[in-house]
Amino acid sequence: MSFSHFDTDGRAIMVDISAKQPTLRTAIAEAKVRMLPTTLVRIQNQGINKGDVFNVSRLAGISAAKKTPDLIPLSHPLMLNAVSIDFEIDKSESTILVRSKVVAVERTGVEMEAMVAASTAALTIYDMCKAVDRDITICEMHLVYKEGGKSGIYKRT
């Protein structure tokens, strides 16, 4: 297996995608945020002093997706068509599942944008709640789904 982000001399390069045709690209990523049950209740009841945790985290994730090339050195700047962040609460596990979805018509995939969006939204939950719960844990960060391009569909099992 060869690594496409290195030239024949082993130097890091940005892959040339100019010959590829734009196709519809979609990626979904998730991160799980584990916290104290009391913290989860406070989030749900708008009881965090810094404000609405879900809306601020959603905005952070969307903004982060657009900044991916500034954070990941060899990723391409992409024109994103849609970015969404959704949250799923599991009271029994005292967790919030952060799910990001990114869509673009581009020459390369949007997996990194989805991963950056989910992780940044999760980090924002931590930031907004750290005053009441320093033991918050972000875990299980992964790509769930990707579609588009010559490699086709990937679906995490």
Side-chain angles (χ1 to χ4, degrees):
M1 177 178 194
S2 66
F3 293 99
S4 61
H5 284 88
F6 295 94
D7 66 12
T8 55
D9 295 322
R11 294 178 298 217
I13 60 167
M14 180 183 258
V15 175
D16 183 357
I17 60 170
S18 58
K20 295 171 75 176
Q21 291 300 309
T23 61
L24 180 63
R25 313 287 184 133
T26 302
I28 300 170
E30 293 177 343
K32 191 174 282 188
V33 185
R34 183 167 281 110
M35 65 199 63
L36 294 171
T38 54
T39 305
L40 185 58
V41 169
R42 286 181 74 167
I43 291 170
Q44 289 180 285
N45 293 333
Q46 301 274 329
I48 299 297
N49 291 342
K50 288 187 175 182
D52 183 335
V53 172
F54 292 123
N55 275 323
V56 174
S57 297
R58 181 175 287 115
L59 288 172
I62 292 168
S63 295
K66 298 189 295 183
K67 295 285 191 182
T68 299
D70 295 335
L71 302 169
I72 309 296
L74 300 177
S75 66
H76 293 83
L78 303 177
M79 180 61 71
L80 304 181
N81 294 89
V83 180
S84 62
I85 307 287
D86 293 305
F87 305 97
E88 199 173 293
I89 294 170
D90 185 337
K91 290 181 185 179
S92 67
E93 295 289 323
S94 193
T95 61
I96 299 172
L97 182 69
V98 179
R99 183 176 296 113
S100 68
K101 180 179 180 183
V102 178
V103 178
V105 176
E106 280 289 352
R107 291 177 159 88
T108 191
V110 291
E111 298 95 290
M112 294 310 301
E113 287 74 9
M115 299 276 279
V116 167
S119 61
T120 302
L123 286 165
T124 303
I125 291 171
Y126 177 88
D127 180 55
M128 294 192 70
C129 301
K130 67 186 176 202
V132 297
D133 186 354
R134 295 246 184 227
D135 288 328
I136 293 172
T137 304
I138 299 168
C139 54
E140 299 180 40
M141 173 61 204
H142 54 262
L143 182 69
V144 175
Y145 178 85
K146 82 88 169 163
E147 179 178 353
K150 70 178 183 181
S151 63
I153 295 174
Y154 163 81
K155 194 172 193 178
R156 187 176 180 89
T157 54

